[in-house]
Amino acid sequence: MALRRTLLLSTLCTAAAALAPLGHAQAQAGDYPNRPIKLIVPFAPGGSTDMVARLLADKMGPILGKAVVVDNKGGAGGSIGADAIAKSAPDGYTIGMATVSTHGANPAIYTKLPYNAVKDFAPITNVMSVPSVFVVHPSVPAKTMQEFIALAKANPGKYTFASPGTGSLGHANIENFMNLAGIDLLHIPYKGAGQAATDALAGQVNAMTDNLPSTLANIQSGKLRPLAVLALKRSPVLPDVPTYTELGYPGMGDGGWFGLVAPAGTPKEIIAKLNAAAHKAMAMPDYLEKQKSISGESMANTPEQFAKQIDAAIARYTAVAKRANIKMD
């Protein structure tokens, strides 16, 4: 009888120990959040990722009852910040922004990435798609993309394009376009989008691609000429500029996106709470007004749908990197 009681007690203790982490996670989810949440942006302040993050954080904080504080950790094409998100405690108090760079191009191009874009993250929701735009300096004698392609085909290697750096998303996108269009442009890499834009505005390089919000003022002033947008549909602020798909190049994809992720292992209940809060924020009238002002389109979806979008981006840029032989350590 004593032996039976001992075995029963041992079994109950083992079961309690096994259930303890689950009970702790449920308790955490139940009172979550009870302190501010850090939202890591893997790029410098002022860019498109930062704009989307701050807009979302401003609305999610009151919904969750605790502040959502933006923390910019730029560098290495977003890899430093993405790695910081991946290595944070999976308790819901550190989340981050994922982009087509950090969760698409970087995993395809960098051979020594410090994080795994799939295994190290728990997708929460995609948030917003913001178009990028292919622009040329006004000195380029092409008013349309068709005319630019004809010029490039007639003069292989003559026309230059600027990118924020070798292996950057801007580099990968134009390499993809050159392959699809059958043209040869000369790549001029810079240390960041700001330097690339400076030389594009000065006419030192003929073309570049950049996020539309960052480029719009220079387009509207006539300092740069837009020839195509990378987006699901035409931008309302550039209604006369066609998408790559309209031009016959659906292989360019549907543009950049900005979504929310947490470290892998974050309890599903917390992921669900963050997803619901983000979706509620994205439906607010003033949020929608600001989204429209930067030519954004809502990408709100489920964690499972966002995971599939990440997989698709990695597959697309892996194919681009292989064709163009783009590999970085």
Side-chain angles (χ1 to χ4, degrees):
M1 183 68 71
L3 178 60
R4 186 180 301 167
R5 282 199 299 270
T6 301
L7 289 172
L8 178 60
L9 182 60
S10 176
T11 301
L12 289 172
C13 289
T14 301
L19 289 171
L22 178 61
H24 182 58
Q26 288 174 335
Q28 282 184 322
D31 64 3
Y32 173 84
N34 55 33
R35 63 178 190 269
I37 298 165
K38 179 165 65 176
L39 173 57
I40 294 177
V41 175
F43 296 97
S48 297
T49 312
D50 184 63
M51 284 191 286
V52 175
R54 291 180 186 278
L55 174 59
L56 190 64
D58 182 56
K59 303 302 176 189
M60 283 182 67
I63 294 169
L64 290 165
K66 295 293 178 181
V68 178
V69 182
V70 172
D71 181 16
N72 295 88
K73 290 185 181 295
S79 296
I80 292 173
D83 187 46
I85 300 164
K87 289 180 170 55
S88 296
D91 56 9
Y93 289 99
T94 300
I95 58 178
M97 297 300 293
T99 71
V100 177
S101 291
T102 62
H103 285 67
N106 287 1
I109 291 170
Y110 287 87
T111 58
K112 297 179 181 178
L113 208 59
Y115 62 90
N116 184 299
V118 175
K119 295 180 180 179
D120 291 346
F121 299 88
I124 298 170
T125 179
N126 210 334
V127 175
M128 191 186 301
S129 172
V130 174
S132 64
V133 57
F134 183 97
V135 293
V136 295
H137 188 265
S139 62
V140 175
K143 298 294 192 295
T144 67
M145 182 58 87
Q146 292 91 335
E147 291 179 359
F148 180 78
I149 291 170
L151 279 174
K153 285 185 174 180
N155 302 276
K158 174 183 176 180
Y159 291 96
T160 56
F161 76 91
S163 83
T166 300
S168 66
L169 183 63
H171 178 203
N173 279 338
I174 295 192
E175 288 284 357
N176 190 24
F177 179 59
M178 286 195 292
N179 176 72
L180 295 171
I183 59 176
D184 179 21
L185 306 176
L186 179 61
H187 178 215
I188 309 295
Y190 288 83
K191 292 183 178 180
Q195 292 181 14
T198 296
D199 273 11
L201 287 166
Q204 298 298 315
V205 287
N206 302 124
M208 68 174 291
T209 184
D210 197 5
N211 288 322
L212 180 55
S214 306
T215 316
L216 184 59
N218 290 320
I219 291 172
Q220 291 173 330
S221 67
K223 294 178 181 177
L224 294 171
R225 180 184 302 135
L227 301 186
V229 291
L230 184 55
L232 291 167
K233 58 184 181 180
R234 294 192 184 200
S235 169
V237 297
L238 296 176
D240 297 327
V241 181
T243 66
Y244 283 98
T245 297
E246 287 180 282
L247 291 166
Y249 306 106
M252 286 293 290
D254 51 14
W257 42 250
F258 307 88
L260 281 180
V261 293
T266 301
K268 290 185 178 180
E269 295 86 354
I270 289 178
I271 296 293
K273 196 164 190 176
L274 289 166
N275 178 281
H279 287 194
K280 188 173 181 180
M282 287 185 265
M284 291 181 170
D286 51 345
Y287 174 96
L288 292 170
E289 184 178 340
K290 290 180 181 177
Q291 176 178 270
K292 184 179 179 181
S293 72
I294 60 173
S295 301
E297 291 282 341
S298 176
M299 295 282 280
N301 58 10
T302 67
E304 295 77 17
Q305 290 168 333
F306 189 23
K308 289 181 179 178
Q309 289 175 329
I310 291 171
D311 289 341
I314 293 172
R316 180 168 64 252
Y317 284 104
T318 297
V320 171
K322 185 176 181 179
R323 284 196 304 265
N325 194 29
I326 308 173
K327 280 294 176 187
M328 302 287 291
D329 291 333

